[in-house]
């Protein structure tokens, strides 16, 4: 079976917290259930973790995304980046987030795309500007190349192949509460 790249939004309400906490997890497997060991290693503890959203990453802005054995990678022109934008709305006690995947040649190109997004332009106001988390303003440390943040075991075996001019279907985004126990 083909090994695929997945992006998940994990959620959990740790003991002693008043609101649910979230983080993004990237993993690889033939099916969603194959990610369970990686999820538990990523978010250790006796928490009741669940999935709030997930997608199989096969297409990003007209680029085909796939995992290939490390030895088949070849020369890389493009990189796949994850960016977590943060922003505010007046009179709302909340920091909103927009999670993006972008294909660019380098981090500067990824930042340029993030700054061109509608979220970046329209979420924020004077004194509470939109930003790329964790810092105000834009800094190269505020985004991640996906291959850098994958589990070491995946990085040893696979590379991300990015092919230009892909006209296939957009990725399906599965939204809603999914218990990890339902994947077994």
């Amino acid at each position: 079976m083909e090994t695929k790249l997945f992006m998940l939004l994990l959620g959990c309400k740790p003991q002693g917290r008043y609101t649910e906490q979230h983080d993004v997890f990237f993993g690889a497997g033939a099916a969603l259930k194959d990610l369970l060991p990686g999820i538990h290693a990523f978010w250790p503890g006796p928490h009741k973790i669940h999935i709030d959203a997930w997608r199989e990453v096969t297409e990003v802005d007209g680029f085909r995304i796939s995992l290939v054995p490390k030895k088949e990678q070849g020369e890389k022109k493009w990189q796949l980046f994850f960016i977590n934008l943060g922003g505010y709305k007046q009179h709302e006690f909340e920091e909103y987030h927009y999670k993006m995947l972008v294909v660019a040649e380098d981090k500067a190109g990824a930042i340029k795309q993030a700054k061109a997004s509608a979220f970046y332009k329209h979420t924020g106001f004077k004194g509470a500007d939109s930003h790329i988390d964790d810092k105000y303003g834009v800094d190269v440390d505020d985004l991640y190349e996906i291959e850098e943040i994958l589990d070491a075991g995946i990085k040893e075996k696979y590379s991300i192949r990015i092919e230009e001019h892909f006209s296939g279907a957009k990725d399906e985004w599965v939204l809603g509460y999914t218990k990890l126990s339902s994947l077994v």
Side-chain angles (χ1 to χ4, degrees):
M1 288 217 267
E2 178 187 4
T3 301
K4 305 172 226 173
L5 178 65
F6 289 89
M7 176 181 180
L8 285 67
L9 178 64
L10 300 177
C12 167
K13 185 177 167 204
Q15 187 174 0
R17 300 291 174 99
Y18 299 113
T19 61
E20 186 174 307
Q21 314 290 294
H22 291 94
D23 206 345
V24 174
F25 171 79
F26 291 91
L32 200 55
K33 68 179 182 176
D34 298 334
L35 306 180
L36 288 171
I39 290 169
H40 290 296
F42 177 75
W43 200 324
H47 310 296
K48 292 184 181 179
I49 304 165
H50 61 273
I51 300 170
D52 281 311
W54 66 273
R55 77 188 262 194
E56 183 182 316
V57 182
T58 62
E59 187 277 339
V60 174
D61 296 329
F63 291 87
R64 178 171 167 65
I65 309 297
S66 58
L67 288 179
V68 295
K70 199 82 161 162
K71 63 183 185 266
E72 294 178 22
Q73 174 53 43
E75 187 178 327
K76 288 179 72 168
K77 176 180 179 181
W78 303 103
Q79 297 175 55
L80 180 62
F81 293 96
F82 166 66
I83 303 173
N84 184 31
L85 296 172
Y88 305 95
K89 295 180 183 180
Q90 280 193 321
H91 311 294
E92 294 191 26
F93 197 76
E94 184 68 54
E95 179 186 4
Y96 295 94
H97 288 93
Y98 183 69
K99 291 144 184 61
M100 302 177 64
L101 291 181
V102 292
V103 172
E105 290 186 34
D106 54 25
K107 289 183 177 186
I111 289 169
K112 183 177 180 182
Q113 288 184 52
K115 290 176 98 177
S117 72
F119 182 93
Y120 192 87
K121 290 178 181 178
H122 302 293
T123 308
F125 52 92
K126 188 170 175 75
D129 298 323
S130 296
H131 58 279
I132 297 178
D133 275 357
D134 289 67
K135 298 176 182 147
Y136 292 98
V138 179
D139 190 298
V140 294
D141 295 330
D142 301 321
L143 58 105
Y144 304 93
E145 183 184 351
I146 301 299
E147 280 194 355
E148 292 175 355
I149 61 175
L150 287 172
D151 176 81
I154 297 168
K155 288 192 283 190
E156 287 175 13
K157 295 179 186 176
Y158 299 100
S159 288
I160 295 175
R161 177 177 287 162
I162 301 172
E163 300 169 77
E164 297 180 66
H165 312 299
F166 179 65
S167 59
K170 298 266 186 205
D171 291 348
E172 175 187 2
W173 294 19
V174 181
L175 306 173
Y177 186 92
T178 303
K179 290 181 179 181
L180 293 186
S181 61
S182 72
L183 301 179
V184 181

